Amino acid sequence: MAMSLVNIIRKGKPVVSAVRRRHFHRTVPAAVQVTVRDALNQAMDEELERDERVFLLGEEVAQYDGAYKVSRGLWKKYGDKRIIDTPISEMGFAGIAVGAAMAGLRPICEFMTFNFSMQAIDQVINSAAKTYYMSAGLQPVPIVFRGPNGASAGVAAQHSQCFAAWYAHCPGLKVVSPWNSEDCRGLLKSAIRDDNPVVFLENELMYGVPFEMSDESQSKDFVIPIGKAKIERAGTHVTLVSHSRYVGHCLDAAAVLAKEGVECEVINLRTIRPMDVESIETSVMKTNHLLTVEGGWPQFGVGAEICARIMEGPAFNYLDAPVTRVTGVDIPMPYAKILEDNSVPQVKDIIFSVKKMLNV
């Protein structure tokens, strides 16, 4: 640059104007890192502020800031009438929330874990999911049931179930299962604004995980449409379809396989019901191979439904090998860590299944 300035001076050109015309390298601003917990908190905060009909209730959501601190600061900001601590009675407070939704409010009902939603399943299925149909469209039930779902760490059989397939089985419900911070923020805002009951399945192990978020995804107007999957990584050899925490496992497996010449296309379902079958079919028609990955049990699971839909649709004729499922093991979750690790999908299981499918 010094020599070029000397030449400019010798030629009698103004130095300042020459420097102004020069293009300097500009560093791209670093994307903001936001944890899943904070993304959920921001989404609820913004929707509580946007619509006075929205309120949050559940066990320890107010003064304690939530069992997992997802509702941190909301009670201090919005007070007792909109952030409500409830007794330890899921059937009771889920019923209160459903009744409030029928009366025109937009409740967010938090279960400390979706395993406890079994105490309230009559309210979720018979009261929330079926009322719009049974009233011939006269009575909507705009409610969000949210909380951690699936296996955590060291909490054994009664606190480790995945309820994605359970709730996705029921017409009248929308079932959302986000992976990263962008998913959680955009989908929770959509769920709160939706006029249908939405089951919003989070993952306890993901709450503290930070993800980069763009300026667009941090806008108050940012929403992600329910029912649309996202291609997290493009590929040509095999399609990996997953939801929640196991999308990350698929991306990790894809990175390892790429070093061996196998390019995986990774699809983040985001929504279980309604399922974006079209995106899966389009990918399978390109890759000719399909592997599903989930933390739930194999029988009648999300992967089983995907297999059936592919078999019944146009993508079946494009398959060069049978569809393969990687799932949780068909047993109640053990407590011992080594048994727990072998009861849920690991990255190595995905890699092994892909290689077996492709015969490499």
Side-chain angles (χ1 to χ4, degrees):
M1 180 177 177
M3 289 302 295
S4 61
L5 285 175
V6 170
N7 292 333
I8 290 168
I9 293 168
R10 283 176 180 170
K11 291 176 183 177
K13 294 180 179 179
V15 176
V16 174
S17 62
V19 171
R20 280 176 179 165
R21 288 197 301 272
R22 191 171 180 85
H23 296 288
F24 290 96
H25 173 72
R26 295 191 177 188
T27 304
V28 177
V32 177
Q33 295 263 328
V34 179
T35 64
V36 167
R37 176 185 289 108
D38 289 341
L40 292 165
N41 180 277
Q42 291 168 13
M44 288 193 291
D45 187 7
E46 289 171 12
E47 293 306 303
L48 283 158
E49 186 177 320
R50 173 181 172 273
D51 188 342
E52 63 181 11
R53 297 172 298 171
V54 176
F55 70 98
L56 171 68
L57 80 167
E59 295 157 356
E60 299 183 347
V61 299
Q63 296 185 44
Y64 189 66
D65 281 340
Y68 306 99
K69 307 307 175 189
V70 174
S71 55
R72 181 188 289 123
L74 298 182
W75 175 66
K76 289 181 180 178
K77 184 173 181 180
Y78 296 102
D80 289 324
K81 288 190 176 180
R82 300 189 66 193
I83 311 297
I84 303 170
D85 278 329
T86 66
I88 304 174
S89 174
E90 284 76 16
M91 173 63 87
F93 68 73
I96 290 170
V98 171
M102 290 178 178
L105 299 180
R106 306 187 82 87
I108 306 167
C109 177
E110 177 180 310
F111 294 120
M112 193 178 291
T113 157
F114 260 94
N115 298 275
F116 301 157
S117 74
M118 292 293 93
Q119 300 289 331
I121 197 165
D122 180 61
Q123 300 289 3
V124 178
I125 302 298
N126 284 325
S127 297
K130 299 177 182 177
T131 297
Y132 188 67
Y133 176 84
M134 293 176 70
S135 67
L138 296 176
Q139 179 62 69
V141 187
I143 184 171
V144 177
F145 299 101
R146 53 157 292 270
N149 170 69
S152 179
V155 291
Q158 294 175 329
H159 296 75
S160 299
Q161 288 174 238
C162 175
F163 289 92
W166 289 55
Y167 287 116
H169 184 66
C170 179
L173 289 177
K174 293 184 178 181
V175 181
V176 176
S177 183
W179 167 52
N180 61 14
S181 300
E182 180 181 299
D183 290 352
C184 288
R185 179 177 167 81
L187 287 166
L188 184 54
K189 289 170 78 74
S190 289
I192 293 169
R193 298 180 190 186
D194 202 292
D195 288 332
N196 298 283
V198 180
V199 172
F200 196 90
L201 303 171
E202 301 157 13
N203 188 283
E204 183 184 339
L205 297 176
M206 297 300 296
Y207 282 144
V209 179
F211 290 91
E212 289 188 355
M213 289 187 69
S214 64
D215 290 339
E216 179 194 3
S217 64
Q218 294 185 78
S219 164
K220 288 189 177 183
D221 299 322
F222 177 73
V223 293
I224 294 173
I226 292 175
K228 187 63 182 170
K230 181 185 178 184
I231 297 176
E232 298 288 351
R233 178 186 177 121
T236 54
H237 295 132
V238 59
T239 299
L240 308 182
V241 181
S242 189
H243 66 95
S244 190
R245 179 169 175 250
Y246 296 98
V247 174
H249 283 43
C250 288
L251 289 170
D252 291 343
V256 173
L257 288 163
K259 296 176 183 177
E260 302 180 30
V262 176
E263 292 298 331
C264 303
E265 183 145 293
V266 178
I267 297 179
N268 173 9
L269 278 176
R270 285 180 164 174
T271 306
I272 310 300
R273 183 185 185 108
M275 185 180 288
D276 187 1
V277 178
E278 184 179 345
S279 291
I280 303 172
E281 288 178 336
T282 301
S283 179
V284 170
M285 289 176 182
K286 178 176 70 172
T287 66
N288 310 116
H289 298 88
L290 175 61
L291 181 82
T292 68
V293 184
E294 64 184 305
W297 294 317
Q299 285 209 132
F300 315 108
V302 175
E305 175 65 16
I306 293 171
C307 291
R309 300 286 280 273
I310 292 299
M311 184 192 72
E312 294 165 354
F316 177 73
N317 293 321
Y318 289 79
L319 287 172
D320 289 340
V323 180
T324 300
R325 291 179 294 161
V326 176
T327 71
V329 177
D330 196 25
I331 58 168
M333 179 64 71
Y335 175 72
K337 178 164 175 46
I338 189 168
L339 297 178
E340 180 183 79
D341 290 343
N342 282 281
S343 298
V344 293
Q346 305 294 338
V347 173
K348 62 182 176 62
D349 301 322
I350 301 170
I351 295 170
F352 174 81
S353 296
V354 169
K355 287 183 175 181
K356 183 179 179 181
M357 179 189 294
L358 298 178
N359 199 25
V360 295

